[in-house]
């Protein structure tokens, strides 16, 4: 926990320490005297200006607010820094993996923590217990095949996430089905030929699997993505397919934010909050895609597709729905920067964006060259100080400005050392 402090002229610091408590009628206790922190907390500061604290082997119990306090030799010479430092300790790791993966897809697995890590650690990835090459919080798989399927987990600082399974499904093929006069079903495509022998009677029930969707009793709704993270002001497409049973004709197909109750859920197109922003791109056969533009924080909700046919009880709503999360932008930067440091500024969102985005960066209103969510400054100087913000290309969305302060790296002049006299008592 990096920290600097100053005090009035004529004061001499007698004690400098950190505490987890604010000033009350009693003097707050020194963290170094707490048995819970013995051997783990180290005060790296001094009794002049530096008040840095180091805490190792961090535990969940350490999650708290920490304050620096110093006492001088003058009457009333006590001061405690307001605000303090909030220490959040992530309790576990989780691997985020797409629910539906087809051969040839580009797939990204993400190692998630319960809070945004201040220091970027080195991650390790494993498939079926074997170490992989990626050392970041994301594992990118290009054009996946069945060989990429398996059990994945990530690790950092000796902590392992639970394993998750990546299933890779065969891509769609042009399938033809014919029934011969002898009662033989023949299904064929360019990759394989499969024949099945049928016996009478006349009734035949197909359990049809297409793209991993099981159509049970003829009713099915499939959401391509179960969750979407979008930026404020952007447009969102909720891709969806559905199948009604044979003999049914779809009379109405619509999206809603309400689950089924005694009352028929309302059509999203009839909601004044969505007027002019929502568009149903589907049809009354198989496609049920929805597009929502100019997304706002109020749109954050779960969305369901529903269709009604011409048959009695011909109503069906896709379970699960699509969770829409809406985020803005925030710039994260180090608190203490000294000339010569390597500095990384990060454009943060509150959820992982579903659509890859091109970012832009500004310093004092002037556009910079970086086009990713991170801005890297090599060996910073006082010229790098200023007001920074990030934005998204093509959207009128910008983060609030943050100020980067670059401190001088102090060097004592040679004349100072030439004037030092050592007195031996």
């Amino acid at each position: 926990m990096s920290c600097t402090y100053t005090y009035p002229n004529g004061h001499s610091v007698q004690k400098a320490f950190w505490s987890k408590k604010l000033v009350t009628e009693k003097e707050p206790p020194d963290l170094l005297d707490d048995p819970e922190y013995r051997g783990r907390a180290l005060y790296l500061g001094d009794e002049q200006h530096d008040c840095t604290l180091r805490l190792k082997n961090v535990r969940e119990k350490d999650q708290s607010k920490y304050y620096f306090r110093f006492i001088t030799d003058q009457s009333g010479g006590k001061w405690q820094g307001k605000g303090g430092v909030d220490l959040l300790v992530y309790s576990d790791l989780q691997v985020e993996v797409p629910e539906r993966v087809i051969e040839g897809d580009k797939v990204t697995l993400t190692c998630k923590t319960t809070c945004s890590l201040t220091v970027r650690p080195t991650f390790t990835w494993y498939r079926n217990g074997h170490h992989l090459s990626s050392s970041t919080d994301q594992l990118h798989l290009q054009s996946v095949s069945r060989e990429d399927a398996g059990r994945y987990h990530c690790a950092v600082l000796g902590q392992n996430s639970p394993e998750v399974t990546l299933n890779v499904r065969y891509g769609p093929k042009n399938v033809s089905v014919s029934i011969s006069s002898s009662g033989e079903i023949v299904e064929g495509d360019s990759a394989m030929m499969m024949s099945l022998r049928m016996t009478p009677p006349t009734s035949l029930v197909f359990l049809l699997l297409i793209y991993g969707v099981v159509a049970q009793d003829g009713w099915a709704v499939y959401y391509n993505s179960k969750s979407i993270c979008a930026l404020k002001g952007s447009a969102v497409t909720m891709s969806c397919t559905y199948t009604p049973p044979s003999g049914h004709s779809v009379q109405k197909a619509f999206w809603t934010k309400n689950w089924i109750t005694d009352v028929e859920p309302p059509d999203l197109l009839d909601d004044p909050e969505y007027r002019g922003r929502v568009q149903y791109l589907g049809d009354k056969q198989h496609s049920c895609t929805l597009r929502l533009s100019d997304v706002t924080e109020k749109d954050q909700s779960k969305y369901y597709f529903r269709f009604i046919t011409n048959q009695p009880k011909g109503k069906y709503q896709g379970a699960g729905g699509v969770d829409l999360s809406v985020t803005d932008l925030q710039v994260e930067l180090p608190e203490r920067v000294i000339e010569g440091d390597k500095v990384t500024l990060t454009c943060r969102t509150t959820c992982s964006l579903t659509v890859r985005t091109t970012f832009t960066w500004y310093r004092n209103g002037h556009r910079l060259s970086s086009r990713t969510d991170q801005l890297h400054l090599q060996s910073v100087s006082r010229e790098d100080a200023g007001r920074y913000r990030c934005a998204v290309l093509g959207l009128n969305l910008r983060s609030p400005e943050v100020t980067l302060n670059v401190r001088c790296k102090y060097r004592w002049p040679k004349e100072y050392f030439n004037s030092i006299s050592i007195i031996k008592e």
Side-chain angles (χ1 to χ4, degrees):
M1 301 179 196
S2 299
C3 167
T4 57
Y5 69 109
T6 58
Y7 46 89
N9 292 330
H11 286 244
S12 175
V13 176
Q14 301 297 300
K15 185 176 182 181
F17 63 101
W18 284 75
S19 180
K20 291 169 67 176
K21 296 186 179 180
L22 268 174
V23 183
T24 59
E25 295 177 357
K26 295 182 179 181
E27 186 67 28
D30 187 338
L31 199 69
L32 297 182
D33 296 333
D34 189 332
E36 290 287 336
Y37 291 86
R38 192 163 295 153
R40 299 192 300 122
L42 179 63
Y43 181 61
L44 302 179
D46 51 36
E47 294 184 353
Q48 293 182 335
H49 299 292
D50 188 358
C51 48
T52 300
L53 180 78
R54 179 178 176 83
L55 177 62
K56 63 182 181 180
N57 295 333
V58 174
R59 307 163 182 169
E60 288 186 36
K61 288 184 179 179
D62 298 334
Q63 185 162 297
S64 181
K65 189 182 284 285
Y66 293 77
Y67 305 92
F68 174 71
R69 180 166 175 80
F70 64 95
I71 303 171
T72 73
D73 59 344
Q74 301 296 319
S75 175
K78 298 180 179 182
W79 185 261
Q80 187 164 341
K82 293 181 180 179
V85 177
D86 276 306
L87 175 61
L88 303 177
V89 182
Y90 73 83
S91 56
D92 57 7
L93 299 172
Q94 294 290 336
V95 174
E96 188 178 79
V97 60
E99 293 187 6
R100 181 173 179 261
V101 176
I102 297 175
E103 281 185 309
D105 284 354
K106 290 183 179 180
V107 175
T108 298
L109 280 68
T110 304
C111 195
K112 289 282 189 183
T113 56
T114 53
C115 58
S116 297
L117 297 176
T118 305
V119 178
R120 288 189 174 271
T122 299
F123 292 80
T124 51
W125 285 89
Y126 299 87
R127 181 177 63 235
N128 298 330
H130 299 289
H131 182 238
L132 303 176
S133 60
S134 179
S135 60
T136 68
D137 62 339
Q138 288 190 323
L139 176 65
H140 300 285
L141 304 175
Q142 305 294 328
S143 188
V144 295
S145 67
R146 295 300 288 263
E147 294 177 358
D148 293 306
R151 306 182 317 278
Y152 286 79
H153 78 273
C154 63
V156 62
L157 298 174
Q159 184 176 348
N160 293 296
S161 73
E163 284 188 332
V164 297
T165 301
L166 176 68
N167 295 312
V168 180
R169 300 172 179 172
Y170 287 115
K173 299 176 173 65
N174 294 322
V175 180
S176 62
V177 178
S178 61
I179 302 177
S180 68
S181 58
S182 61
E184 184 176 359
I185 301 177
V186 180
E187 177 184 337
D189 62 22
S190 57
M192 64 178 178
M193 289 294 293
M194 178 181 70
S195 64
L196 299 173
R197 176 70 57 183
M198 274 184 26
T199 57
T202 56
S203 65
L204 174 66
V205 178
F206 285 103
L207 183 64
L208 182 60
L209 291 89
I210 303 178
Y211 312 152
V213 180
V214 178
Q216 187 175 4
D217 299 328
W219 300 94
V221 172
Y222 181 79
Y223 305 103
N224 285 17
S225 298
K226 295 294 179 67
S227 61
I228 296 175
C229 172
L231 289 163
K232 284 198 300 186
S234 67
V236 171
T237 300
M238 301 182 195
S239 299
C240 168
T241 57
Y242 72 109
T243 57
S246 298
H248 285 244
S249 175
V250 176
Q251 302 297 302
K252 185 176 182 181
F254 62 101
W255 285 74
T256 184
K257 290 166 69 176
N258 294 20
W259 185 239
I260 308 165
T261 60
D262 296 336
V263 181
E264 184 67 26
D267 187 337
L268 204 65
L269 296 177
D270 297 332
D271 190 330
E273 292 286 337
Y274 291 85
R275 193 161 294 153
R277 298 191 301 120
V278 67
Q279 183 181 10
Y280 180 62
L281 303 179
D283 51 36
K284 291 183 177 180
Q285 293 181 333
H286 298 293
S287 175
C288 48
T289 298
L290 184 80
R291 180 177 173 82
L292 176 61
S293 59
D294 295 328
V295 172
T296 67
E297 288 181 352
K298 288 183 178 180
D299 298 333
Q300 188 161 292
S301 183
K302 188 183 282 286
Y303 295 78
Y304 305 93
F305 174 70
R306 181 169 176 80
F307 64 98
I308 301 172
T309 74
N310 61 339
Q311 300 296 324
K313 298 183 179 181
K315 299 180 179 182
Y316 191 81
Q317 187 162 327
V322 178
D323 275 306
L324 175 61
S325 300
V326 181
T327 181
D328 55 8
L329 304 176
Q330 295 288 336
V331 173
E332 184 181 83
L333 79 168
E335 292 185 6
R336 186 168 179 262
V337 176
I338 299 175
E339 282 184 308
D341 285 353
K342 290 182 179 180
V343 175
T344 298
L345 280 69
T346 304
C347 195
R348 288 285 186 194
T349 55
T350 54
C351 54
S352 297
L353 295 176
T354 305
V355 177
R356 288 195 174 274
T357 305
T358 301
F359 294 84
T360 55
W361 286 87
Y362 297 87
R363 180 177 64 232
N364 299 329
H366 299 289
R367 189 171 175 178
L368 304 175
S369 59
S370 180
R371 296 170 65 86
T372 68
D373 62 339
Q374 288 190 323
L375 177 64
H376 301 285
L377 304 176
Q378 305 294 329
S379 187
V380 295
S381 66
R382 296 300 289 268
E383 294 177 357
D384 293 308
R387 304 183 317 278
Y388 285 80
R389 73 182 343 160
C390 62
V392 173
L393 196 64
L395 287 179
N396 187 26
L397 179 61
R398 296 187 176 188
S399 71
E401 284 188 331
V402 296
T403 301
L404 176 67
N405 296 311
V406 181
R407 301 177 181 178
C408 292
K409 182 180 287 186
Y410 188 81
R411 294 182 178 86
W412 293 94
K414 292 181 179 179
E415 294 81 4
Y416 175 83
F417 295 99
N418 292 337
S419 65
I420 291 178
S421 299
I422 300 176
I423 300 174
K424 184 176 181 181
E425 294 184 354

